[in-house]
Amino acid sequence: MTDNESKGIPNRLFFRLFQTGNVLQRQVQNEMGISTVQWAVLGALSRGGFEAGISFNQLTEYLFVSRQSLDGVLKRMERDNHVLRVPHPDDGRARLVKLTDQGRAYWESLQERIYQFYQQGLKGFSFDDSVNFLHYLNKLQHDLARIDLGHGHQAGMEEQAEV
């Protein structure tokens, strides 16, 4: 394998990941009628132990989304009466994001379609394939979260530009 071929594989892999994310977003919207972020918020808030809610900051960190993106999604979900923001009992300035009873009922009503979505989306995967794929996605997420090109990279780019 040539050096150019080996450099092309990561580019193809990350581009395919980008495409897959876009297909997922489109299919969730088309088939479920909600965005992937709304789906993730409902799923996160429906987990055991979060009945009283979760802080906005914790939710952004858990979902790996920006504050601005999450705020816009929560505003739409509040209008639909699926979530509400309540004062944090320990910090009056902070808010907890909480699933409403209507939001929980909505989440429950989606479960059969979610199961079918997963079944169809993973139909080409064996159980072992799914476990391995999850393992590799976890490794990729871990490594991506630790990327730090630092200022040394930027300085190198500036030096190259000056030559």
Side-chain angles (χ1 to χ4, degrees):
M1 179 179 293
T2 68
D3 192 41
N4 280 346
E5 288 173 330
S6 67
K7 287 180 181 178
I9 296 296
N11 184 58
R12 289 174 57 198
L13 180 82
F14 277 89
F15 183 67
R16 189 56 47 117
L17 190 59
F18 168 78
Q19 289 176 316
T20 302
N22 288 336
V23 170
L24 176 64
Q25 288 179 10
R26 184 181 318 124
Q27 288 300 100
V28 167
Q29 187 67 53
N30 290 344
E31 299 298 325
M32 306 299 289
I34 60 175
S35 72
T36 53
V37 179
Q38 288 171 311
W39 184 344
V41 167
L42 289 168
L45 296 177
S46 68
R47 295 178 308 150
F50 290 93
E51 294 80 10
I54 182 174
S55 78
F56 182 83
N57 287 338
Q58 287 175 311
L59 191 55
T60 61
E61 290 172 12
Y62 179 72
L63 299 177
F64 289 99
V65 295
S66 71
R67 294 176 59 82
Q68 295 81 6
S69 174
L70 183 60
D71 187 56
V73 168
L74 290 179
K75 284 177 181 172
R76 287 188 295 278
M77 295 179 78
E78 285 173 315
R79 281 194 298 268
D80 293 340
N81 195 30
H82 292 159
V83 302
L84 55 95
R85 296 185 228 198
V86 297
H88 193 292
D90 301 329
D91 182 357
R93 298 168 298 156
R95 297 283 218 204
L96 294 177
V97 181
K98 182 179 177 178
L99 199 58
T100 64
D101 290 341
Q102 183 174 325
R104 190 168 301 285
Y106 178 65
W107 177 246
E108 291 301 319
S109 76
L110 293 175
Q111 292 308 297
E112 181 57 34
R113 287 179 37 224
I114 289 172
Y115 176 76
Q116 290 173 8
F117 189 96
Y118 291 158
Q119 290 297 106
Q120 290 181 34
L122 294 170
K123 70 181 176 187
F125 286 71
S126 69
F127 175 79
D128 289 343
D129 290 340
S130 296
V131 170
N132 288 328
F133 188 54
L134 180 59
H135 168 74
Y136 289 121
L137 284 175
N138 285 337
K139 285 179 71 164
L140 178 61
Q141 181 182 347
H142 179 268
D143 291 346
L144 286 173
R146 283 162 178 65
I147 291 175
D148 180 5
L149 301 179
H151 296 298
H153 177 73
Q154 187 67 27
M157 299 281 288
E158 290 168 2
E159 288 171 11
Q160 287 177 355
E162 291 175 5
V163 175

